[in-house]
Amino acid sequence: MYSTEGVDAVATITELRSETSDLIEQVQSTNNGVLVQKNNEPHAVLISWKVYKAIKEKLDLNDL
């Protein structure tokens, strides 16, 4: 099993397709992301632009 620490919700690819606007509003109004799953495996995290910029300021993403 994987950790969902730091994410507020979990969405499938299908839910991401059909509820994109709602999920974007959710990540903008909270400081948590939405974990996106495909075939019950974590594939991505949807985060707000504000959170992304803050992460980028703290980390050199090229080192990952």
Side-chain angles (χ1 to χ4, degrees):
M1 192 60 153
Y2 52 87
S3 172
T4 58
E5 182 178 331
V7 296
D8 194 33
V10 177
T12 65
I13 294 285
T14 302
E15 290 169 329
L16 179 62
R17 285 185 191 123
S18 64
E19 301 172 23
T20 304
S21 292
D22 291 339
L23 292 170
I24 289 172
E25 286 179 27
Q26 180 176 341
V27 299
Q28 286 180 329
S29 65
T30 68
N31 285 329
N32 291 323
V34 173
L35 175 64
V36 180
Q37 292 182 333
K38 181 178 179 182
N39 299 322
N40 292 322
E41 293 291 325
H43 276 259
V45 176
L46 179 63
I47 57 174
S48 71
W49 179 248
K50 177 182 166 184
V51 171
Y52 172 77
K53 289 191 316 184
I55 291 169
K56 198 163 173 164
E57 285 178 13
K58 301 250 185 237
L59 298 172
D60 182 357
L61 297 179
N62 293 324
D63 289 341
L64 297 178

